């Protein structure tokens, strides 16, 4: 791959060259059996506004519930949260996508969502990408939303385990034995512990999770690259963006995980960058003052960044939207791993 050396220089250029109109944000639920899903979309109505995804820990987003969808057709972005996460974790990104004209759909993944955790989830790894496909099915079957979607522009965006899900949906083939061999007896790498505790073995069968309707993929500090077969990664034909946290974490080794993505993803269709000042949790919602006291032993979710999370969100969203808007033409390369 060819890269710029500064992500911030690139992002500044993005802001100048790729400024998007900022639409009011409408929100409505999507009717899917056993799956909670929310659609964020551009609207012309900005009142009455209300806060969603807001709680004592995380900053919410101001939206208009049930507002009409802006006229015309819009690209789609499916958002997949991480292990034990919630659809609310990436509300900030869904909102920015909607402001830029996207229909963004976020969901709670049954079995790997906070409050709905299946101890043996990793024995049924195909369920996560299939859940996203079911959400897309529901969107395209919705009488009101289907006519507003552009079926040629459907992206998937995933954080952490959601990145694994996005890559599986994009066509990556996952072989549990490869990840087990790469992990060995490691007890310090989070991805190894999470998959092992979820019941995955070398013999775990993983049916194909690919969805041919997906036209682009974005991986946000993804975990699990060593389990994907090199052949399937070389054959990825859709644009794929991998954004990594620039601040290392012993449980999420930057060189072992994210920089391996830069080497394994095909140069012709992928781009990679490390977000300077970001931690693994910078891709979640902004923390409120006092959040660390509430979180207690989980306060690390709000700690460790060397730049304000709100600023990091603006930079991440700008990069993602520019990349998706470029389509097969791809935005300029980012930086060296």
């Amino acid at each position: 791959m060819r890269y710029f050396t500064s992500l911030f220089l690139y992002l500044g250029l993005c802001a100048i060259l790729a400024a998007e109109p900022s639409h009011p944000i409408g929100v409505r639920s999507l009717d899917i059996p056993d799956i909670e899903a929310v659609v964020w979309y551009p609207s012309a109505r900005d009142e009455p506004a209300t806060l969603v995804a807001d709680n004592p820990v995380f900053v919410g987003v101001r939206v208009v519930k049930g507002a009409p969808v802006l006229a015309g057709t819009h690209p789609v972005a499916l958002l997949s949260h991480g292990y034990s996460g919630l659809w609310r974790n990436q509300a900030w990104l869904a909102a920015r996508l909607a402001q830029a004209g996207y229909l963004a759909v976020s969901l709670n993944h049954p079995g790997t969502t906070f409050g709905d955790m299946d101890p043996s989830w990793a024995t049924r790894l195909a369920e996560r990408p299939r859940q996203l496909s079911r959400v897309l099915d529901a969107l395209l079957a919705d009488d009101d939303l289907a006519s507003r979607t552009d079926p040629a522009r459907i992206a998937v965006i995933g954080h952490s385990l959601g990145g694994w899900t996005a890559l599986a949906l994009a066509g990556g083939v996952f072989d549990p034995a490869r990840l087990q061999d790469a992990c060995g007896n490691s007890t310090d790498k989070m991805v190894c512990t999470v998959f092992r505790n979820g019941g995955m073995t070398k013999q775990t069968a993983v049916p194909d999770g690919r969805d041919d309707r997906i036209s682009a993929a974005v991986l946000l500090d993804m975990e699990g690259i060593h389990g994907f077969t090199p052949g399937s990664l070389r054959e990825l034909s859709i644009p794929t963006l991998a954004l990594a946290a620039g601040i290392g974490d012993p449980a999420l080794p930057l060189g072992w995980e994210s920089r391996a993505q830069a080497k394994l993803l095909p140069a012709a269709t992928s781009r990679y960058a490390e977000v300077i000042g970001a931690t693994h949790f910078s891709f979640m919602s902004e923390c409120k003052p006092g959040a660390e006291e509430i979180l207690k032993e989980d306060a690390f979710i709000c700690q460790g960044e060397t730049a304000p999370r709100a600023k990091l969100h603006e930079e991440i969203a700008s990069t993602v939207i520019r990349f998706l808007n470029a389509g097969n033409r791809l935005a300029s390369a980012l930086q060296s791993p």
Side-chain angles (χ1 to χ4, degrees):
M1 301 182 187
R2 298 187 297 274
Y3 307 90
F4 288 136
T5 57
S6 171
L7 175 57
F8 287 115
L9 175 62
Y10 173 82
L11 292 167
L13 186 63
C14 289
I16 295 171
L17 297 181
E20 289 292 324
S22 183
H23 302 288
I25 305 165
V27 164
R28 52 158 289 189
S29 61
L30 201 57
D31 187 17
I32 311 169
D34 304 319
I35 295 179
E36 181 181 357
V38 177
V39 185
W40 313 68
Y41 51 86
S43 179
R45 183 190 298 172
D46 57 8
E47 295 291 343
T50 187
L51 277 175
V52 298
D54 186 81
N55 59 40
V57 172
F58 295 117
V59 174
V61 177
R62 192 167 294 278
V63 303
V64 183
K65 291 185 177 180
V69 183
L70 192 70
T73 58
H74 308 283
V76 175
L78 308 174
L79 276 71
S80 177
H81 66 71
Y83 177 76
S84 192
L86 294 161
W87 66 258
R88 295 171 177 82
N89 294 157
Q90 279 75 52
W92 64 272
L93 181 54
R96 283 163 174 80
L97 286 162
Q99 287 176 321
Y102 281 73
L103 300 181
V105 190
S106 51
L107 75 154
N108 283 344
H109 282 282
T112 52
T113 288
F114 181 78
D116 180 12
M117 296 295 294
D118 181 348
S120 60
W121 69 272
T123 64
R124 295 177 296 280
L125 287 169
E127 287 189 1
R128 258 188 157 254
R130 285 175 178 170
Q131 289 160 1
L132 279 176
S133 290
R134 286 182 59 202
V135 167
L136 180 56
D137 290 342
L139 178 72
L140 297 178
D142 185 282
D143 291 338
D144 182 40
L145 296 170
S147 63
R148 298 300 185 198
T149 65
D150 181 351
R153 296 183 62 194
I154 300 175
V156 59
I157 303 171
H159 172 233
S160 193
L161 182 61
W164 177 94
T165 309
L167 193 53
L169 206 69
V173 175
F174 188 77
D175 179 358
R178 294 187 62 85
L179 183 60
Q180 290 275 48
D181 289 341
C183 289
N185 296 320
S186 173
T187 58
D188 57 347
K189 296 182 178 69
M190 183 182 297
V191 65
C192 302
T193 302
V194 167
F195 276 83
R196 188 183 300 125
N197 289 349
M200 187 192 77
T201 69
K202 289 187 176 183
Q203 290 73 41
T204 298
V206 186
D208 185 7
R210 179 174 181 168
D211 191 321
D212 289 331
R213 296 171 293 183
I214 301 301
S215 61
V218 177
L219 320 176
L220 304 178
D221 218 35
M222 183 196 120
E223 299 175 45
I225 191 66
H226 291 285
F228 287 92
T229 64
S232 71
L233 297 180
R234 286 193 299 268
E235 293 172 4
L236 288 176
S237 58
I238 64 173
T240 302
L241 171 65
L243 292 181
I247 296 177
D249 184 329
L252 301 161
L254 184 60
W256 188 80
E257 183 66 78
S258 294
R259 290 178 179 172
Q261 296 170 32
K263 296 175 182 177
L264 292 170
L265 294 172
T269 57
S270 69
R271 297 293 182 265
Y272 172 87
E274 294 164 14
V275 184
I276 300 168
T279 70
H280 181 70
F281 300 99
S282 298
F283 297 92
M284 293 172 58
S285 296
E286 182 184 354
C287 296
K288 289 182 176 180
E292 295 176 29
E293 289 75 15
I294 297 172
L295 291 170
K296 296 180 181 179
E297 66 269 17
D298 294 325
F300 57 84
I301 291 172
C302 299
Q303 298 172 339
E305 295 154 327
T306 59
R309 188 170 294 188
K311 175 62 176 175
L312 294 171
H313 283 177
E314 292 298 336
E315 292 160 348
I316 293 165
S318 175
T319 303
V320 170
I321 292 168
R322 176 172 167 80
F323 183 84
L324 294 180
N325 286 347
N328 289 331
R329 292 175 284 110
L330 290 184
S332 299
L334 301 184
Q335 69 182 75
S336 177

